[in-house]
Every structure is written in C-alpha cells, then in structure tokens.
Amino acid sequence: MKISIIGSGYVGTITAACFADVGHEVICVDIDEKKVQQINAGIPSIYEEGLEELLKKYVGKRLIATTDNELAVFNTDISFICVGTPSEVGGSINLSIVRSATESIGSALAKKNGYHVVVVKSTVIPETTEKFVLPILEEKSGKVAGKDFGIAMNPEFLREGKAIYDFMHPDKIVVGSIDASSEDLVSELYLNFECEITRTNPKTAEMIKYANNSFLATKISLSNEIGNICKKMGIDTYDVMKAVGKDSRISPLFLNSGAGFGGSCFPKDVRALISKAKEIGYSPTILESVLAVNENQPLMMAELLQKKIGEFKDKKIAVLGLAFKNDTDDIRESRAIPLITELLRLGAKVSAYDPLAAENMRRVFPTVRYHKSAKEALKGADACLVVTEWEEFKKLDSEFEVMKNRIVIDGRRVIKAKSIDYEGLCW
Ligand code: NAD
C-alpha cells in the first residue's frame, strides 16, 4: 500500500522505515528541511538500533522524504499523523501541531480525487480524533468523513531503544475507526504482523494508549515506593520484586526501583490524563501520586549524597548517564534533568558522561562539563551519581580510582565495582 507519514520524528521515522520493510511504499513528510534531507540521505535524526540500516536499504526505492504535503497526500492512500503532542503548563496536551498537520492534510484532500484515510498515531486524549481532527479535515477539504474519506486512530506502543523490534513484533495493534472501510484499510497494513488486531472506535483506541502508559508508570512508581520502604527496613527490594514478578498477574517487567521514569511519553501522558480527568470532574488520586513519587526519586539521590559529603558548594560531582534510558540519545524528561538542576542549585560543579546523549543535554545545561568517557568525568570527582542504566556502566571498576573520593550513589543498580563507597538509591 502507499502510505504518507506526516511528522518524521521518532515515531514517524520508525513507522516509515518499518512499513517500508514490510513492503509498503512510504512518503515521509516533515516541516524541518534538515530532517527531510537527512532521511533522503539515509541518516536518521535520532539514534535507534537498526534504523540507519533500514533507511539506507529503502531510501530512494520505496521510501522518500519531502516537505511537500500535497505530493505526499496525492500519491498515497493513507496518511498517518505522527507529530508531537507536547504538554501544556497545566498538563493537558497542546494540539497546535496536530492542528497544523491536519489542516495541511485537509487542504490537500480538497484537491485530491478518490478515497483517502487519515490515521492519528500521535498520542491524543480520548475524543480528539473525532471531535478535533475530523471537523478540521471536513472544513479544510470540503468533504464528508465516512463518505469521501476515512478516519482512524492507531496508537503506538514502541519502546525507545527497542523501537524497530517493538514495531515489528507488537504485543497489540489497536485500530479505532469511524467506519468499516477505514478499519479494513488500516488493518490491511498490518496483514503480515503476527499479532491480533483490536478493532474498536477512536476514543477507546485513544484511551487504551493512556491506560497502558498510566499502568506502566504506576508499576514503576509503586516499585520505587516499595524500594524506598525496603531501604529503610534493610530489605533488598530487588529480591522482593523478583519474587513479586513471578505472579503471572503482575509480570517481572517494570519492577526495578530506582531514579524513576522519564522520556517523551510516560510523564506527559500521565499528566494529560490527570488534566482531562479533572476537567471532567474526577480527581485521579493514584495518577497524581505516581507523578509525585517520580518527581522525588532523583532528588532523593541528592539527599543521600548530602548525608555523605555535606554541602555541595564547589564540589565536583560526576553524573553518569544523561539519556532518559539506555540505548537512546533522547533526554526528554530524563531523571538526570531534575537531579542536575538540584546539584547546580546547591553550587556543585557537574561533570557528566553519557555514551549518546551528551550533545542533547548540552542544550539544557551549557555550564556542565561533558566528557568522552566515564573515566574522564570521574577524574578528581568528590562523588558520582549514576542515573541511566547503560550496559557499559556495569563494567566500570578501576575507572573509579581516579576520583578524589570514591563515593557512588547508584540510581539504577548497575554498578558492580567493589572498592568504592557504594550506596543504592532504594537498596
Ligand atoms: P517528535 O517531536 O520526535 O517528532 C515530531 C515531528 O513532527 C518532528 O520531526 C517535527 O518537525 C514534525 N512536524 C511538526 N509539525 C509538522 C507538520 N505540520 N507537518 C509535518 N511534520 C511536522 O515526536 P515523537 O516522539 O515522534 O512523538 C510523536 C507522537 O507520538 C507524540 O504524540 C508522542 O506522544 C507519540 N508517541 C511517542 C513515542 C516515543 O517513544 N517517542 C511512543 C509512542 C507514541
């Protein structure tokens, strides 16, 4: 089938590369000329394992990128909206990017003959597809939804760092449509995926995504809370949660306590659901607590360190790990951000290392010193804080010898070195 992807960021590029890999013809659209040029040169604008190989394989064959929205809509049967839905100050999602992408598709549809389906893949609050996207498309195209064009909502569940694998081997595919024609066309795209398709209406599809992320975020914050209690009682929370995870109703995943969750989805999506719940007159106590625990976890690392070294003023503190998780260069809502903010506020000099994310973090904290290796960042440091679960941190050992004081607070239970003054965040 012929697909256009409107918004070629994280989700858009992965979706485009994977659909090309299963045989579809794909046109990527972005307003960012540089991204378009990069994709056409086979270079992804984000790091994701396997993505560059896929782009190089299909660019110019069955994948191209353009800034020309009309060209993309005219030459495809389905358009996916994959633009960002950032948080507003109060937590609700900002739909201005979805609006402008939808307006462009609607204007192109006005000039296109034949049936076309528009699919929302961006994470949007229930009812957005039908009450926001649909009317804009009808207004701009002068056409009627369900007759002249179709609409569906197809949320994305990929994990950054494992995005290609997750897209190709999904646990679930959800297609929420306004009618059978849209549903059938979108479902056809996933014909060769070994996964049952959940067919539903758009607002249920939208809510499935929020419920899913809220559940996972809750699992993490609950594990962190159990970890905080365990630490005070001298119980190893990892032993506890390993046994808890053997319960088939719970599963062993997302039970590692530590510095908390970040990324472009969990914090934003939980905030958005809280905001919507309040708007409709419900007070979401559990979801608010999930965020409160998550905000406090990185600050507890600073508190633990203060107990060991006293005031931070002019002390050199090495922060290992800046990405919100391992295997990505994405720093959005990384737990390193509130932690470094606190260290700087208290007068520390921060030296940092991350295998992939340093350049992105430089834009947030230009005064932090970024290094090319953990050892360089650790040199002469009064203490070290470990924030991201990078595989290479598990092998660190003699590198700690260059520190002034070998004090290490581990926020992810990754450090295995022996001859250090080690303390785990929740263990
Ligand atoms: P992103 O910011 O990485 O990418 C969005 C892209 O859209 C950018 O390249 C931007 O230049 C482009 N864009 C903006 N306005 C445009 C327009 N009018 N026309 C065409 N392109 C335009 O965002 P992302 O991380 O890919 O997230 C996209 C959506 O998917 C969000 O709603 C997010 O919540 C959801 N989501 C993200 C993930 C994830 O892991 N990143 C996972 C599941 C769902």
Side-chain angles (χ1 to χ4, degrees):
M1 287 176 85
K2 296 182 174 173
I3 307 165
S4 43
I5 306 281
I6 316 301
S8 307
Y10 216 104
V11 168
T13 316
I14 299 288
T15 304
C18 292
F19 274 149
D21 200 37
V22 294
H24 300 301
E25 285 177 41
V26 185
I27 304 180
C28 292
V29 180
D30 208 285
I31 47 168
D32 183 339
E33 291 242 10
K34 197 173 151 216
K35 258 183 205 172
V36 167
Q37 282 168 8
Q38 277 183 298
I39 293 172
N40 283 331
I43 303 162
S45 60
I46 42 138
Y47 174 80
E48 190 64 42
E49 197 184 328
L51 181 57
E52 188 161 354
E53 287 84 342
L54 284 185
L55 286 187
K56 290 229 151 63
K57 193 164 167 192
Y58 296 115
V59 158
K61 296 183 184 103
R62 46 179 187 254
L63 193 157
I64 57 158
T66 176
T67 53
D68 188 342
N69 211 75
E70 280 192 0
L71 178 134
V73 172
F74 289 174
N75 290 290
T76 56
D77 313 305
I78 304 185
S79 295
F80 277 81
I81 297 176
C82 296
V83 297
T85 46
S87 284
E88 291 278 20
V89 175
S92 62
I93 52 167
N94 179 329
L95 286 173
S96 62
I97 312 174
V98 173
R99 174 187 289 281
S100 73
T102 306
E103 284 174 350
S104 312
I105 299 171
S107 305
L109 283 181
K111 300 181 200 161
K112 185 184 171 177
N113 293 322
Y115 190 70
H116 195 95
V117 174
V118 179
V119 186
V120 177
K121 204 177 232 326
S122 300
T123 303
V124 291
I125 278 291
E127 299 189 323
T128 304
T129 300
E130 281 174 285
K131 293 196 173 162
F132 183 83
V133 173
L134 187 153
I136 296 173
L137 287 172
E138 285 193 331
E139 192 204 320
K140 287 285 166 186
S141 66
K143 294 182 175 178
V144 180
K147 177 171 153 278
D148 305 318
F149 66 92
I151 294 198
M153 204 280 149
N154 173 220
E156 183 50 61
F157 299 96
L158 57 80
R159 290 166 300 171
E160 290 192 16
K162 298 274 175 279
I164 303 264
Y165 180 88
D166 285 355
F167 194 97
M168 296 304 225
H169 306 91
D171 291 332
K172 56 181 166 288
I173 296 171
V174 177
V175 178
S177 320
I178 57 159
D179 59 7
S181 316
S182 319
E183 181 180 291
D184 290 344
L185 208 70
V186 180
S187 301
E188 214 183 304
L189 287 174
Y190 293 102
L191 214 57
N192 294 327
F193 287 66
E194 280 175 25
C195 180
E196 186 196 344
I197 297 177
T198 302
R199 294 167 182 246
T200 183
N201 56 49
K203 70 176 175 184
T204 305
E206 290 160 334
M207 188 53 118
I208 290 170
K209 174 68 187 172
Y210 279 97
N212 204 95
N213 275 0
S214 297
F215 193 91
L216 293 174
T218 304
K219 235 180 146 183
I220 296 171
S221 276
L222 177 69
S223 303
N224 288 340
E225 188 145 279
I226 299 283
N228 296 340
I229 299 168
C230 280
K231 185 172 170 80
K232 285 195 181 295
M233 299 186 72
I235 301 167
D236 187 334
T237 187
Y238 276 64
D239 288 346
V240 171
M241 297 317 260
K242 196 172 167 194
V244 168
K246 288 184 178 160
D247 189 323
S248 60
R249 293 166 301 178
I250 294 175
S251 108
L253 303 174
F254 286 78
L255 297 180
N256 290 346
S257 39
F261 57 80
S264 65
C265 293
F266 288 1
K268 168 173 82 81
D269 294 351
V270 176
R271 279 199 294 264
L273 192 54
I274 290 172
S275 166
K276 185 66 189 178
K278 286 182 173 168
E279 185 193 312
I280 56 176
Y282 177 76
S283 178
T285 317
I286 293 178
L287 296 180
E288 290 193 315
S289 306
V290 166
L291 289 187
V293 170
N294 198 53
E295 286 314 308
N296 204 37
Q297 290 304 111
L299 303 182
M300 277 172 45
M301 292 181 75
E303 279 170 32
L304 281 177
L305 185 58
Q306 253 174 340
K307 284 190 189 134
K308 281 183 181 284
I309 67 169
E311 278 199 14
F312 289 167
K313 190 151 176 36
D314 294 330
K315 299 231 167 84
K316 178 175 175 177
I317 298 172
V319 173
L320 299 188
L322 301 169
F324 86 90
K325 64 189 266 191
N326 53 320
D327 298 335
T328 178
D329 61 354
D330 196 342
I331 57 155
R332 290 179 282 185
E333 305 255 6
S334 165
R335 296 298 79 197
I337 296 175
L339 180 61
I340 294 174
T341 303
E342 181 70 352
L343 296 177
L344 295 175
R345 186 182 73 80
L346 295 170
K349 290 179 182 155
V350 176
S351 66
Y353 167 69
D354 187 282
L356 289 175
E359 284 317 305
N360 287 337
M361 198 58 99
R362 198 188 291 279
R363 279 176 232 130
V364 182
F365 298 113
T367 59
V368 164
R369 294 202 64 170
Y370 298 90
H371 296 275
K372 296 223 166 334
S373 69
K375 191 173 177 179
E376 269 183 45
L378 291 167
K379 207 168 179 183
D382 293 278
C384 164
L385 300 172
V386 182
V387 194
T388 312
E389 195 181 348
W390 282 103
E391 195 61 30
E392 69 172 75
F393 294 165
K394 294 182 181 163
K395 296 179 201 126
L396 293 177
D397 195 350
S398 61
E399 288 83 352
F400 291 108
E401 288 168 13
V402 300
M403 294 177 74
K404 191 165 148 200
N405 299 305
R406 291 184 216 169
I407 296 168
V408 179
I409 310 275
D410 188 353
R412 298 290 179 194
R413 191 131 156 171
V414 281
I415 300 301
K416 312 253 185 261
K418 291 276 175 279
S419 54
I420 53 175
D421 177 355
Y422 178 89
E423 178 147 7
L425 174 57
C426 316
W427 52 92

